[in-house]
Amino acid sequence: MTDAAETPDSEDYLAILAGVVADVDSAARRIAAAQIEELRALATAGRLAEAQTAQRNARVQVHDMALRSIAAEVGGVMRVTDRTVQRRIGEARTLVEGFPATVEAWEQGRIVRGHAIAIVETGTSLPPEMWAEFEQVAIGRCERDTPNRVRGELEILAHRMHPRSFAERHEEAAATRCVRIVPGRDGMSDVVATVPTVIAEGIHDRLTQQARAVIDTRDERAAARGCAGVAFGEAASDGDTDGDRDDDAAAIIATDQRSIDQVRADVLADLLLAGTPALDDTRDTTAGPLGAIRARVQVLIPAATLTGEDDGPSDLAGRSAIDPATARTLAGGAQIWERLFHDPTTGVTVATDSYRVPSGMRRFLQARDQHCRFPGCRVAAIRCEVDHTRDYALGGRTELTNLAHLCQRHHSMKQFTAWRVRQLKGGVLEWTSPLGRIYREDAPTPAVAFTPAAPPSPPPAPAEPAPF
């Protein structure tokens, strides 16, 4: 007999779930209060070490020894090393003293710890005298969305506010690119490449496409071998060498149970060591069709950056900022130019050049949605499925006001769970949870927005002639 709490449609189930959600919410508030209390205490410890040596006009080494001593004392209570405590004291002072409005917003429940971390990590790239101005704007943006979604927007905000151009700073950072090996356990190591973001995204995207091609081909061949197994067995029993080869191929396919991560790593190794993907299960030519797969990246580029009038960052959708030179290079090699129009007030995309449907709709939706539209999800739109908000089978039309991007996970949740969604004007999605909670999902504001140009100043009035 099934317990009532395990029956999704029962009132008892919803009542228990409501209690769980309320308990989690209450616990989260208490945890946040405790984290802030600990944060302030650690900051006080750092100031105590500073005050202990300030009157002595002490050297840096003496101050460090005082801080180490206090960190060791606190570490004994926290049961962590003094090095860890010393690092956390520094982080606490940066947040409490450098970003006080952020701590206050966290304390009031307007943002969560992840938001505070994102604000500090992105804001500290600016000179300290600009932190207060930055956090005021950043807090407002954090109140509207989850930490993983706002991080990219905050990075671009910091880049825009920085007194040095993004192009100049990226050029310096690109000079540090390198490849290094981090030894691991059990005969394994990590090969770490520090490269420009757009290159990293391209590498990962191409490997993912290649891995999926290998796995899809493997699964198709395995299914075909299963259907024709009797015929292969008969051929082998007659001493047919072709049948033997078929059996060998079937055995290889049967034992190949690699995950997409494993295949991706194997293809990477083959490309670096041999120049071609030697493990190409789709291969029917010398080079193999995997070699024809090229990476895809989705970039939003301001017109001023494209023309060279501005050296600000462009937005690599779903990730972070990229430098203007790379953005211009990508635009120059693109086969399709997609001109986007944004509402000058909200920055939301309202139209795009298109001549065909549904390809034009898809481009418009990718620009509007940017990522999966389930609350909190940030899977890039180019990795998602275009979903009919109102099912097509139930009369939902294929039009912009009834379409939105959902990743495979949340598309399935919409289909097979009690989560429901409806689309309002402006691409706003209103999600309703099984408990009846409403989650509003606004169309994301593009990190790259256009503002109307200031009207030209009127010409000065002609001067009055001087009297004789």
Side-chain angles (χ1 to χ4, degrees):
M1 183 174 181
T2 304
D3 188 86
E6 298 176 356
T7 306
D9 296 330
S10 70
E11 293 183 3
D12 289 342
Y13 166 82
L14 293 178
I16 294 173
L17 179 57
V20 169
V21 172
D23 290 344
V24 169
D25 181 53
S26 176
R29 293 177 185 275
R30 295 195 303 272
I31 290 172
Q35 288 173 333
I36 294 170
E37 183 180 359
E38 180 186 80
L39 194 74
R40 294 189 189 280
L42 290 174
T44 300
R47 289 192 295 270
L48 178 61
E50 189 173 292
Q52 190 176 7
T53 56
Q55 297 178 352
R56 308 179 196 171
N57 194 22
R59 300 189 305 274
V60 173
Q61 183 181 9
V62 175
H63 173 266
D64 186 58
M65 288 299 111
L67 183 58
R68 288 187 191 182
S69 176
I70 292 174
E73 189 74 51
V74 175
V77 176
M78 299 179 68
R79 297 190 178 184
V80 295
T81 66
D82 59 295
R83 290 179 181 271
T84 299
V85 174
Q86 188 168 343
R87 174 180 55 81
R88 291 179 62 179
I89 286 174
E91 294 170 349
R93 292 197 68 180
T94 300
L95 181 52
V96 171
E97 299 169 13
F99 297 85
T102 299
V103 178
E104 182 181 357
W106 180 13
E107 204 165 20
Q108 294 171 351
R110 292 156 51 202
I111 62 174
V112 297
R113 181 173 181 270
H115 289 128
I117 293 173
I119 290 174
V120 171
E121 290 182 351
T122 54
T124 48
S125 65
L126 293 167
E129 62 269 18
M130 300 183 69
W131 289 358
E133 180 184 357
F134 172 80
E135 70 171 337
Q136 290 299 330
V137 180
I139 290 170
R141 299 189 181 184
C142 286
E143 289 176 339
R144 302 196 302 263
D145 222 325
T146 55
N148 63 323
R149 281 190 179 175
V150 299
R151 177 176 286 274
E153 189 176 352
L154 297 185
E155 286 179 355
I156 290 184
L157 172 63
H159 289 316
R160 286 288 182 187
M161 293 179 62
H162 204 286
R164 296 176 61 205
S165 73
F166 182 75
E168 181 183 356
R169 287 178 286 124
H170 173 76
E171 184 177 356
E172 291 181 2
T176 65
R177 61 191 182 277
C178 62
V179 177
R180 57 193 184 278
I181 295 177
V182 180
R185 296 180 178 179
D186 302 324
M188 302 296 288
S189 292
D190 293 327
V191 179
V192 182
T194 301
V195 295
T197 300
V198 70
I199 300 298
E201 284 295 314
I203 291 171
H204 192 268
D205 180 82
R206 188 179 185 215
L207 290 174
T208 298
Q209 292 184 64
Q210 291 174 326
R212 285 175 177 163
V214 170
I215 290 175
D216 290 346
T217 303
R218 176 194 70 192
D219 293 344
E220 290 173 3
R221 290 183 177 179
R225 296 294 181 188
C227 294
V230 175
F232 291 144
E234 291 172 352
S237 64
D238 293 337
D240 188 352
T241 56
D242 288 340
D244 292 338
R245 284 196 295 270
D246 287 335
D247 286 344
D248 292 340
I252 293 172
I253 292 173
T255 57
D256 185 1
Q257 299 297 323
R258 292 174 296 169
S259 67
I260 190 168
D261 280 331
Q262 292 170 329
V263 177
R264 194 157 38 206
D266 293 342
V267 171
L268 172 64
D270 284 344
L271 288 172
L272 293 177
L273 296 174
T276 58
L279 293 177
D280 187 354
D281 290 341
T282 72
R283 184 171 56 241
D284 53 15
T285 64
T286 302
L290 286 191
I293 293 176
R294 292 293 178 264
R296 302 171 302 166
V297 293
Q298 179 182 347
V299 184
L300 300 177
I301 310 173
T305 300
L306 197 60
T307 60
E309 298 176 17
D310 179 64
D311 268 343
S314 296
D315 182 28
L316 182 62
R319 294 297 180 183
S320 59
I322 63 171
D323 64 289
T326 299
R328 294 184 195 112
T329 301
L330 292 174
Q335 297 179 351
I336 299 177
W337 279 57
E338 300 170 1
R339 186 170 53 153
L340 308 180
F341 298 88
H342 301 296
D343 184 300
T345 302
T346 64
V348 175
T349 304
V350 297
T352 184
D353 288 341
S354 64
Y355 299 95
R356 295 177 298 175
V357 177
S359 59
M361 284 186 179
R362 185 177 297 274
R363 293 201 300 271
F364 177 91
L365 290 166
Q366 284 184 350
R368 185 197 73 181
D369 292 346
Q370 299 184 40
H371 48 64
C372 171
R373 297 294 307 285
F374 188 84
C377 185
R378 193 167 164 76
V379 175
I382 57 176
R383 302 279 179 270
C384 297
E385 305 163 351
V386 177
D387 170 66
H388 287 75
T389 305
R390 184 167 185 261
D391 291 348
Y392 184 81
L394 300 177
R397 300 179 61 184
T398 305
E399 58 187 6
L400 294 177
T401 56
N402 190 51
L403 299 172
H405 280 87
L406 295 179
C407 67
Q408 187 176 18
R409 172 186 176 87
H410 295 126
H411 193 180
S412 299
M413 281 183 57
K414 174 179 174 287
Q415 289 180 298
F416 302 115
T417 74
W419 281 86
R420 295 293 176 261
V421 62
R422 67 184 184 123
Q423 189 162 164
L424 310 178
K425 291 182 179 180
V428 175
L429 298 187
E430 188 179 81
W431 289 86
T432 304
S433 76
L435 293 177
R437 291 172 176 259
I438 303 297
Y439 297 89
R440 179 186 169 99
E441 176 71 12
D442 291 332
T445 302
V448 174
F450 301 94
T451 57
S457 302
E464 294 289 337
F468 292 101

